[in-house]
C-alpha cells in the first residue's frame, strides 16, 4: 500500500509530503502513547495518532516511520510541519476517529506488527 | 584510540519541545558514518527514551555518546531524584509520571523496558536524592 492509497482510503488530506505519495508502507501502528509506539519496531510503517505535538514527529524520526496520520481532524503546528519536512515524514489528516481509521486500513490489507511480548 | 569518537550533549531541564535533540543529532551522525540502519534505529530509540526520561523524571543532565568500530556506548547522567526501586521501574507499565505527562504521550511505563530491548547491554546506577546514570551499549555487528 502507498501513502497515496492511505490518503484515498481515509479521505484524508496532505499536510506534508505529497511528493512522497508513492512510497510504500508495509505496517501500521495506532497509539496516543509514544512509548507504545517505540516498542513497535518495523520497517516503513505508518503511525495513526490523535496526539499532536513535536514529540510525535521526533518519535517517528527515531523509528524511521515514513507517514503520520492525525485522526479526528487534528492539525500539526508550524514547528511540527517544519520538522516533518526536514525528516521527510509525510503527514496526513483525516476526520476519522482512531478506531475506524485503523479499521478501514486493516480491512484493505494493512496490518500491524506481531503481538507484544516482553 | 583515534578511531573512537566521543560526543557530549547537555539535556535541558523542563523543555519538553527540545527533548530528543541529542538523539536526533546522534542519529544524523551515525547515518553520515554509514552505520547499518537497524543499528541506528536501536541506538536512536534507546537513547531517545533515556533522553525523555531525563527531561520528565530528572532535571535534564548530560549524555556522552562514544562511538567505536565495535559498539556505540551511551552514558546518560542526571542529578535528579534517583530511582528508589530499579527492578520495579524496569517493569513494563510501571510509571510515576503525572497525568500532564500522559497527555503529552509519555508515561506508559514502557521507556526502560524499551531501552533494555533495543540495547545489547544496559546498566542503571541510581542513588536517591543524588541522581541516576544509565549506561547502554549497542554492538555495531549482530
Ligand atoms: N532518570 C530518571 N530519574 C528518576 N526516575 C526515573 C528516571 N528514569 C526512569 N525513572 C523512574 O522509572 C519509572 C519508569 O520509567 P519508564 O521510562 O519505563 O516509564 P515512564 O517514563 O514513566 O513512561 P514512558 O517511558 O512509557 O513514557 C518512571 O516513571 C520513573 O519513576
Ligand atoms: Mg520513560
Amino acid at each position: 500500500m502507498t501513502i497515496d492509497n492511505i490518503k484515498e482510503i481515509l479521505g484524508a488530506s496532505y499536510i506534508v509530503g505529497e511528493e512522497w505519495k508513492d512510497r510504500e508502507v508495509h505496517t501500521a501502528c495506532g497509539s496516543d502513547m509514544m512509548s507504545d509506539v517505540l516498542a513497535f519496531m518495523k520497517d516503513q510503517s505508518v503511525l495513526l495518532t490523535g496526539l499532536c505535538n513535536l514529540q510525535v514527529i521526533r518519535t517517528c524520526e527515531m523509528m524511521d516511520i515514513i507517514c503520520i496520520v492525525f485522526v479526528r481532524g487534528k492539525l500539526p503546528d508550524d514547528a511540527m510541519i517544519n520538522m516533518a519536512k526536514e525528516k521527510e515524514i509525510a503527514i496526513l489528516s483525516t476526520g476519522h476517529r482512531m478506531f475506524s481509521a485503523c479499521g478501514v486500513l486493516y480491512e484493505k490489507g494493512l496490518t500491524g506488527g506481531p503481538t507484544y511480548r516482553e | 584510540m583515534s578511531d573512537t569518537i566521543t560526543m557530549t550533549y547537555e539535556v535541558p531541564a523542563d523543555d519538553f519541545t527540545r527533548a530528543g535533540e541529542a538523539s536526533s543529532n546522534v542519529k544524523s551522525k551515525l547515518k553520515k558514518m554509514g552505520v547499518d540502519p537497524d543499528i541506528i534505529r536501536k541506538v536512536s530509540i534507546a537513547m531517545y527514551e533515556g533522553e525523555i526520561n531525563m527531561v520528565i523524571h530528572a532535571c535534564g543532565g548530560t549524555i556522552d555518546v562514544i562511538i567505536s568500530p565495535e559498539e556505540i556506548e551511551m552514558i546518560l547522567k542526571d542529578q535528579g531524584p534517583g530511582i528508589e526501586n530499579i527492578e520495579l521501574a524496569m517493569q513494563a507499565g510501571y510509571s510515576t509520571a503525572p497525568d500532564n505527562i500522559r497527555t503529552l504521550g509519555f508515561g506508559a511505563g514502557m521507556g526502560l523496558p524499551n531501552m533494555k530491548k533495543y540495547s545489547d547491554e544496559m546498566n542503571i546506577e541510581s542513588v536517591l536524592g543524588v541522581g541516576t546514570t544509565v549506561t547502554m551499549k549497542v554492538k555495531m555487528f549482530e
Side-chain angles (χ1 to χ4, degrees):
Chain A
M1 194 179 282
T2 64
I3 292 176
D4 208 49
N5 295 147
I6 291 177
K7 182 226 164 214
E8 291 299 321
I9 292 165
L10 294 177
S13 48
Y14 284 107
I15 310 298
V16 173
E18 190 161 3
E19 65 264 46
W20 309 313
K21 67 184 172 59
D22 295 324
R23 290 189 180 169
E24 286 278 339
V25 293
H26 302 312
T27 47
C29 173
S31 181
D32 291 348
M33 291 305 268
M34 291 304 106
S35 281
D36 259 355
V37 177
L38 289 157
F40 166 96
M41 184 148 140
K42 278 276 175 184
D43 254 343
Q44 283 186 288
S45 39
V46 48
L47 169 68
L48 293 99
T49 187
L51 182 73
C52 200
N53 65 35
L54 207 57
Q55 296 307 331
V56 175
I57 318 289
R58 278 271 181 243
T59 298
C60 293
E61 176 197 352
M62 297 308 152
M63 300 197 67
D64 304 315
I65 284 175
I66 62 168
C67 176
I68 301 170
V69 178
F70 287 113
V71 297
R72 302 194 299 277
K74 296 247 168 129
L75 292 170
D77 64 19
D78 288 345
M80 294 167 69
I81 290 174
N82 290 336
M83 193 185 284
K85 281 183 183 157
E86 190 191 322
K87 303 299 174 188
E88 293 200 12
I89 299 166
I91 299 183
L92 301 175
S93 178
T94 175
H96 277 288
R97 283 163 180 274
M98 180 70 100
F99 181 80
S100 37
C102 294
V104 285
L105 289 176
Y106 194 90
E107 198 180 44
K108 298 284 183 187
L110 190 65
T111 59
T115 312
Y116 182 79
R117 254 178 259 109
E118 262 179 69
Chain B
M1 225 172 34
S2 61
D3 46 6
T4 296
I5 304 169
T6 304
M7 292 174 290
T8 301
Y9 298 91
E10 296 293 327
V11 178
D14 294 324
D15 193 348
F16 189 71
T17 58
R18 289 190 56 197
E21 279 182 8
S23 306
S24 174
N25 191 285
V26 169
K27 180 160 189 155
S28 311
K29 193 123 197 164
L30 293 173
K31 257 193 200 164
K32 282 202 195 95
M33 292 170 69
V35 173
D36 182 316
D38 287 340
I39 305 293
I40 297 180
R41 207 177 314 154
K42 285 170 71 176
V43 170
S44 306
I45 297 174
M47 179 170 163
Y48 178 59
E49 287 280 18
E51 190 179 349
I52 292 277
N53 278 355
M54 291 169 89
V55 175
I56 64 180
H57 304 299
C59 28
T62 54
I63 305 178
D64 285 323
V65 179
I66 304 153
I67 305 170
S68 74
E70 296 80 35
E71 65 187 16
I72 298 143
E73 182 174 15
M74 295 157 268
I75 304 163
L76 297 86
K77 203 178 210 145
D78 68 60
Q79 270 95 50
I83 303 173
E84 192 168 354
N85 184 337
I86 293 174
E87 206 184 316
L88 185 63
M90 286 298 302
Q91 285 179 16
Y94 177 83
S95 175
T96 60
D99 281 343
N100 71 309
I101 293 297
R102 225 150 273 137
T103 61
L104 294 172
F106 288 88
M110 294 301 299
L112 290 173
N114 279 348
M115 287 155 74
K116 174 120 187 128
K117 177 178 166 188
Y118 292 114
S119 58
D120 294 309
E121 246 179 75
M122 173 165 149
N123 181 53
I124 304 176
E125 271 169 47
S126 193
V127 179
L128 279 184
V130 177
T132 302
T133 301
V134 181
T135 308
M136 294 182 284
K137 286 182 183 176
V138 173
K139 293 196 172 68
M140 282 285 191
F141 306 97
E142 304 283 343

